[in-house]
Amino acid sequence: MTLQGKVPMLSTTALHHLHIFIFVLACVHVVFCALTILFGSAQIRQWKHWEDSISKKEQDPEQAQGPKFTHVQDHDFIRSRYLGFGKNSYIMGWVHSFFKQFYASVTRSDYTTLRLGFIMTHCRGNRKFNFHKYMMRALEADFKKVVGISWYLWLFVVIFLFLNISGWHAYFWIAFVPFILLLAVGTKLEHVIIQLAHEVAEKHVAVQGDLVVRPSDDHFWFNKPKIVLILIHIILFQNSFELAFFFWIWVQYGFDSCIMGQVGYIIPRLVIGAFVQFLCSYSTLPLYAIVTQMGSSFNRAIFEEYIQEGLVGWAKQAKKKTVLRKAANESSHNQANPREESPLIQMAKAGSKETVMGENKSGEIAHGTVS
């Protein structure tokens, strides 16, 4: 019911259309996330033969001989990431990282070195650790969060709808947000690999055995690798929002509708959206899967699912036993010292004594307040 002279902010028809748009947005976001993880995982699975090759090499007694001293600059990882034109320049390093995400973002030498660095840092006693299998489990666990839509993403939708003013072409400009964020994330992930190469090359001239990098959170934004996952979440949602809005307007009002906008603004939006989807699946997601393992900590996916369940059960049992042991110790302590009384009993007795003193001495006030 509306007041006289007032109109509702949204009519019943507009509210119905908004519900349809929210449904379409949720469907498009889920589909795009599924496509991203599907094509990205297909790219990452191509690295499995590298993992198998490394495992066979480590099991070969002829190749798994004692460590030898080698010059750092003789390693492929250092030659591709540290040596060459402009590699020692800070600015050129970022430029190289920017273009590297478009071709061969992760090479065999990158995978081999980063894998060894992870194993030597987090599971030194298990050189046969299946890093590829762990990486896939960690990626699946992380992308369960990406499929969801957080509150700050809905806030973005509300703000955008309010900024949709005639003549501003907000639909066109908003398409550049996921595009710019995606390029920034890919550049940063490539630059982390370069930093790891520089750290080794600047500290060592020769190494004994294989080249080992040192994973650290210091290489990431604000020392938090999880920020990369949040940015990818925002990128995929904004790209889904842009394309979902286009299809919703097309079906609901028609392609020639004034809400759709000019064709000169529509085509670049679609091209940018397709490019973001392709680059995220082909390059950014595989980079995220391996580079974010170069943090100071590891994902709980390092354990198999049945081991995770066992650890959770063990932790609950240990906590329960700790509580019971503490209660038993307190009980035995009280039995061994029967004259010792709890603080509550002592305060109660002190209060009763003060009450008796107050009754015997008229005009006096018994101070029995406990702070």
Side-chain angles (χ1 to χ4, degrees):
M1 181 177 180
T2 59
L3 299 176
Q4 186 176 2
K6 305 290 183 180
V7 294
M9 184 176 181
L10 286 176
S11 63
T12 305
T13 304
L15 189 61
H16 178 64
H17 289 172
L18 179 61
H19 290 164
I20 295 176
F21 170 68
I22 292 175
F23 174 76
V24 172
L25 174 60
C27 292
V28 172
H29 179 63
V30 172
V31 170
F32 277 13
C33 287
L35 291 176
T36 302
I37 191 66
L38 179 65
F39 294 121
S41 299
Q43 180 74 10
I44 298 173
R45 286 191 179 92
Q46 296 180 6
W47 304 345
K48 191 176 185 303
H49 70 277
W50 295 343
E51 182 76 28
D52 297 337
S53 176
I54 296 171
S55 299
K56 292 179 181 179
K57 181 179 178 181
E58 291 176 347
Q59 294 175 2
D60 190 350
E62 295 182 358
Q63 297 184 5
Q65 296 177 352
K68 299 179 180 179
F69 282 96
T70 56
H71 201 277
V72 169
Q73 297 186 2
D74 291 338
H75 289 267
D76 294 336
F77 178 71
I78 299 298
R79 285 201 299 265
S80 62
R81 295 288 182 172
Y82 179 73
L83 300 178
F85 174 74
K87 297 292 181 62
N88 291 325
S89 172
Y90 179 79
I91 297 178
M92 291 301 298
W94 280 102
V95 174
H96 179 261
S97 300
F98 175 80
F99 289 103
K100 182 65 175 175
Q101 64 181 312
F102 300 112
Y103 67 96
S105 57
V106 178
T107 62
R108 181 188 176 94
S109 62
D110 296 336
Y111 180 85
T112 304
T113 306
L114 299 183
R115 172 189 179 275
L116 183 59
F118 178 89
I119 292 176
M120 296 302 292
T121 301
H122 300 298
C123 44
R124 182 183 293 268
N126 185 13
R127 293 292 295 270
K128 297 180 181 179
F129 176 76
N130 194 326
F131 178 71
H132 186 271
K133 187 177 181 180
Y134 156 73
M135 188 172 53
M136 293 296 297
R137 288 201 306 267
L139 181 63
E140 293 173 0
D142 287 341
F143 258 72
K144 290 179 182 178
K145 306 174 184 177
V146 174
V147 175
I149 303 178
S150 304
W151 64 268
Y152 53 85
L153 298 178
W154 287 119
L155 181 62
F156 159 78
V157 173
V158 173
I159 294 175
F160 173 76
L161 292 177
F162 278 110
L163 292 177
N164 183 26
I165 300 174
S166 177
W168 284 23
H169 302 291
Y171 304 132
F172 173 74
W173 298 112
I174 201 67
F176 287 93
V177 175
F179 176 71
I180 295 173
L181 284 178
L182 184 68
L183 295 180
V185 169
T187 303
K188 178 60 179 177
L189 293 175
E190 288 285 356
H191 194 258
V192 169
I193 303 179
I194 289 181
Q195 286 178 296
L196 293 171
H198 277 240
E199 192 177 62
V200 174
E202 291 172 355
K203 290 182 178 179
H204 305 281
V205 176
V207 292
Q208 185 179 12
D210 296 323
L211 187 71
V212 179
V213 296
R214 178 180 172 272
S216 175
D217 289 344
D218 297 337
H219 302 306
F220 295 89
W221 283 314
F222 304 105
N223 301 330
K224 293 183 179 180
K226 286 300 180 182
I227 291 180
V228 179
L229 180 63
I230 297 175
L231 291 177
I232 292 178
H233 192 184
I234 295 173
I235 290 167
L236 291 177
F237 177 79
Q238 289 186 343
N239 196 51
S240 301
F241 172 80
E242 177 70 18
L243 296 178
F245 198 82
F246 166 77
F247 288 117
W248 176 69
I249 294 294
W250 189 5
V251 174
Q252 196 73 44
Y253 301 102
F255 190 83
D256 297 329
S257 171
C258 60
I259 304 177
M260 179 66 74
Q262 302 176 8
V263 178
Y265 290 99
I266 296 174
I267 295 178
R269 285 164 48 194
L270 297 178
V271 172
I272 291 174
F275 178 78
V276 168
Q277 190 68 28
F278 171 77
L279 185 63
C280 188
S281 302
Y282 169 75
S283 176
T284 309
L285 185 64
L287 272 172
Y288 166 81
I290 188 169
V291 175
T292 51
Q293 309 308 327
M294 295 299 102
S296 301
S297 58
F298 56 84
N299 195 300
R300 69 176 183 177
I302 194 172
F303 303 108
E304 299 283 355
E305 292 184 2
Y306 70 92
I307 297 179
Q308 293 182 26
E309 295 175 358
L311 288 175
V312 172
W314 173 82
K316 291 181 179 178
Q317 291 293 333
K319 186 177 181 180
K320 184 177 180 181
K321 290 181 180 179
T322 301
V323 174
L324 294 175
R325 189 181 298 110
K326 185 178 180 180
N329 291 337
E330 290 179 353
S331 176
S332 60
H333 181 71
N334 293 334
Q335 292 178 0
N337 302 280
R339 294 183 180 181
E340 295 183 2
E341 299 173 337
S342 65
L344 292 177
I345 297 176
Q346 293 177 3
M347 287 188 290
K349 288 185 176 181
S352 62
K353 290 180 180 179
E354 291 175 352
T355 304
V356 173
M357 292 174 62
E359 293 177 353
N360 294 335
K361 298 180 181 181
S362 60
E364 295 182 0
I365 300 176
H367 302 279
T369 304
V370 180
S371 59

